[in-house]
């Protein structure tokens, strides 16, 4: 039986090869996975032209996945340098890479990335449009925006972020309800500016059916971008954000009618006590489509440390039901992240994702922690390093500060509670002051 997309196959009762791989990774019954995809609650972004892909599932009942943003820009146009970062991100088991390239050899970078990457690849076509056509934003036509999306699909991109929810109506809501930080989404601001400069409707909204034609042809997953996401906690959960979310829910239903897989992008900067409500709103208004959160960043006062502010928000969001976390690095709001920034961001986001999986009861999530707890009780340093989400830093710390006694560290020495409890439980003496026998 033939099928066009993973969702089309799922609705027809077909188990695809990608479904089998994902089910095995998730330790999940493949039939349950298929039903989740058929209902739109799970996506497997897998463009037919991405031949090196090792597929991953995103959505209800699955482990929380993470995305890493990379790409070249006018100030940092070195393709090879950015591809080195991609390779490290893949080695660190990032499930997705978003190519946010906006200047220079964007097509070369994208094609080389897709050629070797087993990770899911996403892009934002509107970023590429200005450079691709070598035109000012105002002069790009509606058709040209869609043609860039088609070009990315042909190249093998697995999902595209499209800011289709900011239409003339939502733009009016934004104008009538003043914000502290206006529109902070790069793609959203570009499309809003294009609409204002040309006095026209958002092309991705007006020609959404044509966009779905492209998605159906290549099994391109839509990540419906949140143009009006809050850029400060003061703007969080406001009328502009919610109005756009309602539109994204309507577009989700239209996409599902065409068997196109959909994710919904979410905030942004959100106060910690509003995160759970935001997840609930997305799941309600967008009919359970997988939720892809950008952070969320829970306080605005920590430039240089936003990998921490976002990890706090990401853990809470994931535990409340968010499915996909976009990493944030220490360089957020400041510069293009370098290699070390990227590594810090990946580790912080992976910690948040795993913490969220424990909170929402993902199968086997706690087993990893239990193994670490046993290793700590045994004071088995090598096993602790092997189990660590990143073994490089703990090995470095242990090496830099060597204790006198191997069954301790330089913080507590022979007063180590674990060491002494082990000895007491084994019926041995505790020799804190005396030399070892």
């Amino acid at each position: 039986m033939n099928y066009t997309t993973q969702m089309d196959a799922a609705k027809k009762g077909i188990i695809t090869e990608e479904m089998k791989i994902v089910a095995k990774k998730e330790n999940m019954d493949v039939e349950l996975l298929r039903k989740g995809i058929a209902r739109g609650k799970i996506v497997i972004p897998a463009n037919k032209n991405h031949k090196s892909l090792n597929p991953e599932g995103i959505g209800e009942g699955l482990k929380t996945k993470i995305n890493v943003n990379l790409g070249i820009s006018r100030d940092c146009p070195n393709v090879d340098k950015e591809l080195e970062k991609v390779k490290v991100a893949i080695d660190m088991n990032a499930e997705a890479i978003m190519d946010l390239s906006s200047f220079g050899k964007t097509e070369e970078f994208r094609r080389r990335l897709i050629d070797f990457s087993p990770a899911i690849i996403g892009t934002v076509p509107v970023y590429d449009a200005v450079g691709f056509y070598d035109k000012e934003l105002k002069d790009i036509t509606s058709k040209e925006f869609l043609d860039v999306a088609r070009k990315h699909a042909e190249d093998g991109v697995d999902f595209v972020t499209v800011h289709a929810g900011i239409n003339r109506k939502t733009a009016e809501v934004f104008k009538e309800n003043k914000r502290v930080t206006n529109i902070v989404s790069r793609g959203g601001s570009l499309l809003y500016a294009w609409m204002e400069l040309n006095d026209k409707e958002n092309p991705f909204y007006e020609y959404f059916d044509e966009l779905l034609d492209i998605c159906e042809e290549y099994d391109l997953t839509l990540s419906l971008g949140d143009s009006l996401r809050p850029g400060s906690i003061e703007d969080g959960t406001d009328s502009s954000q919610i109005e756009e979310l309602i539109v994204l829910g309507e577009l989700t239903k239209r996409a599902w009618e065409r068997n196109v897989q959909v994710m919904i992008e979410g905030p942004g900067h959100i106060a910690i006590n509003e995160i759970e409500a935001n997840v609930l709103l997305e799941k309600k208004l967008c009919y359970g489509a997988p939720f892809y959160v950008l952070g969320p960043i829970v306080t605005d006062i920590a430039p240089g440390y936003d990998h921490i502010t976002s990890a706090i928000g990401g853990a809470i969001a994931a535990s409340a039901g968010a499915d996909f976390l976009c990493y944030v690095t220490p360089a957020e709001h400041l510069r293009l992240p370098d290699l070390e920034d990227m590594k810090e961001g990946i580790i912080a986001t992976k910690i948040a994702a795993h913490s969220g999986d424990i909170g929402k009861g993902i199968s086997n999530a706690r087993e990893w922690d239990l193994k670490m707890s046993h290793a700590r009780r045994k004071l088995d340093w090598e096993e602790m390093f092997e189990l660590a989400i990143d073994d490089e830093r703990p090995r470095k710390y242990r090496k830099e500060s060597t204790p006198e006694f191997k069954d301790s560290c330089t913080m507590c020495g022979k007063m180590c509670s674990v060491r002494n409890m082990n000895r007491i439980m084994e019926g041995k003496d505790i020799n804190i002051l005396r030399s070892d026998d």
Side-chain angles (χ1 to χ4, degrees):
M1 190 183 298
N2 294 326
Y3 61 89
T4 55
T5 67
Q6 294 291 324
M7 178 176 257
D8 183 39
K11 288 180 179 178
K12 290 174 177 175
I14 300 171
I15 303 293
T16 67
E17 190 60 33
E18 290 81 6
M19 292 180 202
K20 293 176 184 175
I21 293 169
V22 170
K24 186 175 180 180
K25 286 183 178 181
E26 300 285 342
N27 192 30
M28 184 181 196
D29 178 70
V30 72
E31 181 61 17
L32 185 63
L33 178 72
R34 182 197 66 77
K35 288 178 179 177
I37 296 168
R39 294 165 58 220
K41 303 293 181 73
I42 297 172
V43 299
I44 300 179
N47 188 309
K48 296 171 184 177
N49 289 344
H50 188 178
K51 305 303 182 184
S52 60
L53 178 68
N54 187 352
E56 297 282 353
I58 301 167
E60 187 176 84
L62 308 185
K63 292 189 289 289
T64 306
K65 307 306 187 298
I66 77 160
N67 170 70
V68 172
N69 290 337
L70 294 169
I72 55 175
S73 67
R74 180 180 289 274
D75 291 310
C76 302
N78 190 312
V79 170
D80 290 330
K81 188 173 181 179
E82 204 65 11
L83 284 171
E84 284 304 310
K85 285 158 66 176
V86 170
K87 290 171 184 174
V88 173
I90 290 169
D91 288 343
M92 294 179 73
N93 299 314
E95 289 90 2
I97 307 287
M98 273 201 91
D99 172 15
L100 303 189
S101 296
S102 57
F103 180 81
K105 298 179 180 179
T106 58
E107 185 173 5
E108 177 191 340
F109 179 77
R110 183 172 61 253
R111 286 185 168 181
R112 288 174 65 183
L113 174 62
I114 292 165
D115 185 55
F116 77 80
S117 174
I120 301 164
I121 301 300
T123 60
V124 188
V126 71
Y127 292 178
D128 195 27
V130 174
F132 184 78
Y133 292 113
D134 194 23
K135 286 184 178 182
E136 286 298 334
L137 178 68
K138 179 179 184 295
D139 300 325
I140 300 172
T141 68
S142 297
K143 182 179 182 300
E144 286 173 333
F145 277 121
L146 288 167
D147 286 345
V148 172
R150 175 174 287 281
K151 183 74 179 67
H152 286 210
E154 289 173 351
D155 287 345
V157 167
D158 301 298
F159 72 95
V160 287
T161 291
V162 174
H163 301 84
I166 185 164
N167 57 19
R168 300 298 286 270
K169 182 180 176 184
T170 53
E172 285 304 313
V173 173
F174 162 72
K175 291 176 189 177
E176 292 167 6
N177 297 272
K178 299 301 181 185
R179 288 176 139 191
V180 174
T181 49
N182 294 316
I183 298 175
V184 299
S185 160
R186 193 194 325 178
S189 65
L190 289 171
L191 284 169
Y192 176 81
W194 184 92
M195 291 162 63
E196 291 291 296
L197 291 168
N198 290 285
D199 193 26
K200 289 183 178 179
E201 181 59 276
N202 179 349
F204 292 113
Y205 180 80
E206 185 174 6
Y207 301 104
F208 192 67
D209 286 332
E210 285 82 347
L211 179 62
L212 294 179
D213 290 338
I214 298 168
C215 294
E216 193 174 18
E217 182 177 352
Y218 295 95
D219 198 359
L220 178 66
T221 298
L222 275 181
S223 187
L224 293 176
D226 51 341
S227 307
L228 297 172
R229 69 175 182 265
S232 63
I233 61 170
E234 187 66 27
D235 295 335
T237 325
D238 68 355
S239 55
S240 297
Q241 179 192 337
I242 302 307
E243 182 68 31
E244 183 181 34
L245 192 60
I246 292 168
V247 175
L248 298 185
E250 295 166 354
L251 295 176
T252 296
K253 290 174 73 175
R254 287 174 60 184
W256 286 348
E257 288 169 2
R258 296 283 300 277
N259 298 318
V260 172
Q261 300 184 100
V262 175
M263 297 185 289
I264 305 295
E265 295 188 14
H269 294 236
I270 288 286
I272 199 167
N273 59 309
E274 297 178 18
I275 294 173
E276 188 172 353
N278 270 260
V279 176
L280 178 63
L281 279 169
E282 184 277 337
K283 293 293 182 179
K284 285 284 187 182
L285 295 175
C286 298
Y287 311 100
F291 197 20
Y292 174 23
V293 294
L294 313 178
I297 288 174
V298 296
T299 178
D300 303 329
I301 63 164
Y305 300 92
D306 277 327
H307 60 310
I308 297 172
T309 64
S310 71
I312 294 167
I316 295 168
S319 67
D323 308 286
F324 194 23
L325 304 183
C326 187
Y327 93 147
V328 173
T329 77
E332 184 77 8
H333 304 111
L334 301 171
R335 69 174 189 196
L336 189 79
D338 65 17
L339 181 61
E340 289 306 310
D341 295 328
M342 182 197 75
K343 291 166 71 174
E344 289 284 321
I346 290 174
I347 292 164
T349 310
K350 287 178 76 69
I351 292 168
H354 179 67
S355 301
D357 287 348
I358 293 170
K360 63 186 172 188
I362 295 297
S363 175
N364 299 325
R366 295 176 69 101
E367 288 187 12
W368 187 1
D369 295 74
L370 183 59
K371 289 177 182 177
M372 178 62 85
S373 297
H374 283 307
R376 282 184 171 146
R377 177 182 54 78
K378 295 183 294 182
L379 294 170
D380 187 333
W381 303 101
E382 185 58 36
E383 186 177 356
M384 286 185 240
F385 298 151
E386 290 175 0
L387 287 167
I389 202 162
D390 164 54
D391 73 334
E392 185 177 315
R393 181 169 293 178
R395 287 182 188 278
K396 175 176 176 285
Y397 283 175
R398 180 74 176 170
K399 186 176 181 181
E400 286 177 347
S401 189
T402 305
E404 182 181 359
F405 303 99
K406 290 183 179 180
D407 60 349
S408 65
C409 75
T410 54
M411 177 71 180
C412 298
K414 293 177 75 174
M415 286 188 182
C416 172
S417 58
V418 178
R419 171 190 182 274
N420 292 332
M421 283 304 300
N422 285 344
R423 293 175 77 92
I424 286 291
M425 297 296 283
E426 293 167 6
K428 296 179 180 177
D429 187 14
I430 297 176
N431 56 341
I432 296 174
L433 298 178
R434 302 187 308 274
S435 299
D436 279 344
D437 297 331

